[in-house]
Amino acid sequence: MKLKQTLLAGSLSLAMILSLSTVASASNKFNFEQNTATDNTYGYVDSEVDQFKTYTTYVKGKSLDTKLYKPVSGDTLVVVFHGNGEGGVEGKTNNYTQLAGNRLAVTYTEKEIQEKFKGAYVLSFQAPEDWYHDHTAEAKQVIDQACKEFGIKQKFVSGLSAGGLMSERMLSTYPDFFDGALFSCAAIAKNGTYVEGLGGDYTLDYSSMTDENTLPDDLDKPEDGSKHNQTLKLQRPADFNAYLSNYNTWLDKIAQSKTPLFMVHAQNDNTIASSWTKYAYKYISTQRQQLENNTPTYYQIIDDTNYDTTTSWSQHWSWIKMLNNDVTDSTNTIKTIDFITSLSTSKNTYQEKETSLPLAGKSDQENTFKFNLVAKVKDDGEKVTTAIIDLAGKKLKDTNLDAKMFKVTAYATDATGIASSQRVNYGNLIQYTADKPEEIAVEKAEVDSQGNIVLTLANEGVLNYTAPASRNLPMIMHYAIAPMTLAFVEEENPAPVTPSKEKKQTPDTKKTPAKAQTVKPKAQAKTKTKVVKSGDSTTILPYVGIAVVALVVIILLLTKKKKNQ
């Protein structure tokens, strides 16, 4: 009897051990690994920017760096010219920051705009240094190549700051080449900057900032004082009269063309005087009236680049509201983006282009999940916004996650080799290192529709940062998520299938995002999973049942042996 009780107690202990081992297997500590094998090689993905692919590379005198967005189909081309901060630096180009510095290029890929254009190619140029040098011939060759290759019927041009200058240069050099133009704060008479084809002698001492060496408010009335521009510290070049004469030559050619225009500027722009856009509008519109040229000519000088007290953009950044379609022309006729899309005459049958974020993929390391950093181009540049942990098909037991559970740290390294010595902190991560990373607060943690963990990051990493040389030198992002315990729902092994009756497994043909496709066998035995909660662990009942059956068999055998004795 004592032997039987001892055996029974031992059997129950064994059952408990088996049960606990099953519980432990469902809840383990996991590591997280950043996916660095991204298209841009900078360690993150961006669903908008990643759609642009390299079209041409810089060859002096022949071609420029360009990235191209291709619609499903279309016969329209939008050409965009970046600002001064997105060009090459010290002879190096990356053919990327013209997309990431602001929303100029990606704006024209937005669904509503593409639908109005009925599918538009977007060609984004990067200058080898800046647009103050004359690159019109090289740009024209690339545009002609794209038009021939893709059967383009309409072409539009859009730019900002130095790209606004380049837009005007193209419009004057090739009149009637474009079917419409939208640009902001064209960089005319930028302090200290010589512009090929215009001039710009700033060798005088401007420290006193008298009326004589500051720009007039009204360029058609140079005798007027310029206290406004003096306050903004905007200078007039010593060769002002020659500069203005050269600019008038540009404007004459634009006025004679049939290209509709919309120009935007901010009143208190302290980089480029808004009076130059006022002057250009008056000159072109007056000339067109005299020529009985009814081609639409619009402009607007906005009061402020900021929306409310929560933003604090430079007053030079008038392109933000222009690209957000938040600027109506001075006659209250039409808004900026509505203007340029209204010029489309395409008869193409529009097909929406499907896009999705890829997943990081499965890690080769045991108990490790990979994650993607996800970036988005905001009004002030491309930034890391989220981290998506690819759980590789596993299902979390508890999907109610607390952001405080996750510890995220980060630092950045210079991808160009130019900025590392400057260490300019502009809300970026370059000042931190692997040994001393910055802790990134997690605002929200949740599980998405695919069952993966999405972390919304509070302190967005600035990928393109401001430095004396350029405001958009790309950073390689290094993020880490501290190891943590995760509990998953574990399923029974499927019932065995006899070889003679086994059906061939065929992957599901439903469309899923690249790198995120889940293969679902059509012929798979049904499984039943019963989950019992035990504290913070999960007990799988079938395994306990097997253990109990085994114990009963052992007890019967021992009882039989005792009787035989």
Side-chain angles (χ1 to χ4, degrees), residues 248-269:
N248 286 341
T249 302
W250 285 21
L251 299 180
D252 278 327
K253 292 179 180 178
I254 295 173
Q256 293 168 22
S257 75
K258 298 287 187 181
T259 304
L261 306 172
F262 198 139
M263 298 170 281
V264 178
H265 216 121
Q267 176 68 28
N268 294 320
D269 188 330

Side-chain angles (χ1 to χ4, degrees), residues 106-398:
V106 299
T107 289
Y108 293 102
T109 69
E110 291 175 3
K111 178 184 175 182
E112 291 183 2
I113 296 175
Q114 282 287 314
E115 190 171 5
K116 290 177 180 178
F117 277 131
K118 298 185 178 179
Y121 293 82
V122 182
L123 185 64
S124 180
F125 280 88
Q126 184 180 45
E129 63 299 282
D130 51 54
W131 300 122
Y132 304 126
H133 294 76
D134 187 354
H135 292 293
T136 50
E138 299 102 294
K140 177 71 159 48
Q141 286 183 341
V142 176
I143 297 169
D144 285 342
Q145 175 184 324
C147 289
K148 182 178 180 181
E149 182 175 352
F150 305 116
I152 300 301
K153 295 179 181 178
Q154 275 191 302
K155 304 173 293 296
F156 301 97
V157 63
S158 187
L160 56 87
S161 192
L165 168 76
M166 182 60 174
S167 298
E168 290 188 346
R169 191 193 289 275
M170 292 292 291
L171 291 167
S172 64
T173 306
Y174 306 105
D176 293 318
F177 181 68
F178 292 101
D179 297 283
L182 172 65
F183 52 88
S184 72
C185 53
I188 309 300
K190 181 180 181 237
N191 285 8
T193 303
Y194 180 84
V195 180
E196 188 175 351
L198 289 181
D201 178 5
Y202 288 88
T203 58
L204 296 180
D205 179 11
Y206 292 98
S207 59
S208 61
M209 294 302 294
T210 62
D211 286 348
E212 184 179 351
N213 55 34
T214 58
L215 289 169
D217 283 325
D218 269 327
L219 295 174
D220 56 346
K221 297 178 182 178
E223 68 275 8
D224 288 353
S226 181
K227 293 182 180 179
H228 177 69
N229 286 320
Q230 189 174 6
T231 302
L232 296 172
K233 300 186 182 303
L234 297 171
Q235 307 161 356
R236 66 190 296 175
D239 56 349
F240 178 79
N241 291 332
Y243 194 104
L244 186 59
S245 176
N246 291 332
Y247 189 46
N248 286 341
T249 302
W250 285 21
L251 299 180
D252 278 327
K253 292 179 180 178
I254 295 173
Q256 293 168 22
S257 75
K258 298 287 187 181
T259 304
L261 306 172
F262 198 139
M263 298 170 281
V264 178
H265 216 121
Q267 176 68 28
N268 294 320
D269 188 330
N270 62 353
T271 303
I272 310 296
S274 59
S275 50
W276 283 103
T277 292
K278 293 178 186 176
Y279 178 79
Y281 168 74
K282 288 182 180 179
Y283 195 101
I284 294 171
S285 59
T286 299
Q287 287 287 89
R288 283 182 168 177
Q289 287 176 7
Q290 293 176 355
L291 294 169
E292 297 184 352
N293 180 353
N294 297 322
T295 303
T297 309
Y298 300 112
Y299 94 114
Q300 182 60 277
I301 307 298
I302 62 176
D303 294 331
D304 194 355
T305 61
N306 294 305
Y307 284 99
D308 48 46
T309 56
T310 62
T311 58
S312 56
W313 309 138
S314 163
Q315 289 302 302
H316 181 51
W317 294 6
S318 54
W319 58 78
I320 291 177
K321 288 188 174 181
M322 179 187 83
L323 296 172
N324 287 335
N325 202 30
D326 288 330
V327 179
T328 305
D329 80 290
S330 59
T331 63
N332 201 30
T333 300
I334 196 167
K335 292 184 177 181
T336 46
I337 297 297
D338 292 340
F339 157 78
I340 198 164
T341 56
S342 70
L343 300 173
S344 173
T345 59
S346 176
K347 302 297 183 184
N348 180 56
T349 301
Y350 173 68
Q351 300 177 59
E352 183 180 348
K353 187 174 183 177
E354 294 183 4
T355 60
S356 61
L357 280 170
L359 291 177
K362 191 175 182 179
S363 175
D364 295 330
Q365 304 298 319
E366 188 177 357
N367 287 346
T368 301
F369 294 117
K370 293 173 71 174
F371 67 90
N372 268 340
L373 286 182
V374 179
K376 181 176 177 59
V377 182
K378 301 286 189 80
D379 287 334
D380 57 338
E382 189 179 44
K383 299 182 179 183
V384 171
T385 58
T386 54
I388 301 180
I389 301 172
D390 187 350
L391 295 182
K394 284 185 171 291
K395 295 180 181 179
L396 281 173
K397 187 187 80 169
D398 186 359

Side-chain angles (χ1 to χ4, degrees), residues 354 356 450 506-522:
E354 294 183 4
S356 61
Q450 293 177 290
T506 306
D508 190 356
T509 57
K510 291 183 180 179
K511 291 184 179 179
T512 54
K515 300 182 184 179
Q517 188 171 9
T518 303
V519 177
K520 299 179 180 179
K522 286 185 178 178

Side-chain angles (χ1 to χ4, degrees), residues 12 23 32 40 71 74 96 98 121 129 158 166 176 303 321 324 382 390 441 454 465 486 490 494 497 499 518 542 552:
L12 291 173
V23 171
F32 305 99
N40 59 27
Y96 186 83
Q98 76 268 32
Y121 293 82
E129 63 299 282
S158 187
M166 182 60 174
D176 293 318
D303 294 331
K321 288 188 174 181
N324 287 335
E382 189 179 44
D390 187 350
V454 180
Y465 88 114
L486 294 175
E490 293 189 357
V497 180
T518 303
V552 170

Side-chain angles (χ1 to χ4, degrees), residues 503-554:
K503 294 182 181 179
K504 185 178 180 180
Q505 294 183 346
T506 306
D508 190 356
T509 57
K510 291 183 180 179
K511 291 184 179 179
T512 54
K515 300 182 184 179
Q517 188 171 9
T518 303
V519 177
K520 299 179 180 179
K522 286 185 178 178
Q524 185 176 8
K526 293 183 180 180
T527 60
K528 294 182 180 179
T529 305
K530 294 183 180 180
V531 180
V532 175
K533 293 185 178 180
S534 177
D536 290 332
S537 303
T538 303
T539 303
I540 308 301
L541 291 181
Y543 291 105
V544 177
I546 292 171
V548 171
V549 170
L551 289 171
V552 170
V553 171
I554 291 170

